[in-house]
Amino acid sequence: MDNIELREQVAVANRQIAAAGLVELSFGNVSGADRAAGVFAIKPSGVACAALEPEQVVVVSLEDGRVVEGDLRPSSDTPTHFHLYRSFNAIGGVVHTHSPFATSWAQARRPIPCFGTTHADHFHGEVPVTRPLLAEEVGGDYELATGEVIAQTIMNAGLDPLHHPGALVASHGPFAWGADLEEAVMNAVAVEVIARIAYQTLAISGETGPIEPYLLDRHFERKHGPNAYYGQPLPPGS
């Protein structure tokens, strides 16, 4: 993939999260990586997702985080995306939003519990929440520290980042990712959907408990396990 194609895909993905209602104005960003080329492309700072054009997208080195292509300043969250790509080698796309329900859980500093199969289709358990950032982290390289605390949350719990493709940053909002850009956008949509459903579930019954482990496993494995059978098989040679 060349940088032109990558920038086009990232522009489309940013417009998609706006169309899905996950972001307002410039409150969010999407990046996509081309690991073979050693770069990722990301929305520029302060530009509305809904109006993003490919030529505005900024290309950044996966080696050292420097801008290698683009005339605009990259998103202020670029160090967060950079650290996630460096920490999770299997991911190819990262999405950050301030979608209302997921952000509400983040501000409450609560993980999103897995109450049912809608959630289990995308996450093999709760959507975790990070610890609050320390004053020195916020006062220092804040955006890099945000990436570090997300990676710590996933790695310290021994979670597979592709089985838990997102996290809530305490008092901030959701980050989601995936094996590629399309999957990252889908997971960002899923985070908001399950955040809303979990909120409504607790509004109906505050005593609701988590889904049974065997039902969680069945729903997750049928889409993501080694013998997955959900959806259509890929055509030969794809």
Side-chain angles (χ1 to χ4, degrees), residues 163-188:
H163 290 184
H164 292 80
L168 309 177
V169 179
S171 303
H172 187 168
F175 282 79
W177 50 82
D180 55 31
L181 196 50
E182 182 179 3
E183 191 173 285
V185 170
M186 179 183 68
N187 288 331

Side-chain angles (χ1 to χ4, degrees), residues 63-85:
E63 179 66 29
D64 55 19
R66 63 185 175 83
V67 172
V68 297
E69 190 174 320
D71 300 323
L72 300 179
R73 181 185 302 168
S75 168
S76 57
D77 291 316
T78 297
T80 308
H81 290 240
F82 173 73
H83 190 78
L84 293 178
Y85 286 123

Side-chain angles (χ1 to χ4, degrees), residues 213-238:
Y214 55 85
L215 186 55
L216 165 66
D217 290 345
R218 180 58 186 258
H219 265 262
F220 185 83
E221 292 293 330
R222 72 176 189 162
K223 291 187 75 171
H224 306 284
N227 299 312
Y229 59 88
Y230 180 89
Q232 300 303 315
L234 294 173
S238 63

Side-chain angles (χ1 to χ4, degrees), residues 13-30 49 95-103 174 176 184-196:
N14 276 275
R15 295 197 297 268
Q16 285 175 332
I17 66 168
L22 300 185
V23 298
E24 301 287 344
L25 305 175
S26 60
F27 302 156
N29 40 72
V30 179
C49 293
V95 179
H96 172 47
T97 77
H98 292 262
S99 55
F101 281 92
T103 300
V185 170
M186 179 183 68
N187 288 331
V189 173
V191 169
E192 179 63 7
V193 170
I194 62 180
R196 172 170 49 83

Side-chain angles (χ1 to χ4, degrees), residues 105-137:
W105 285 90
Q107 291 182 168
R109 301 182 180 182
R110 289 186 59 183
I112 305 173
C114 184
F115 291 130
T117 61
T118 304
H119 184 133
D121 280 341
H122 293 277
F123 286 81
H124 199 198
E126 68 180 20
V127 179
V129 64
T130 71
R131 62 167 175 81
L133 270 71
L134 305 175
E136 54 266 32
E137 292 172 319

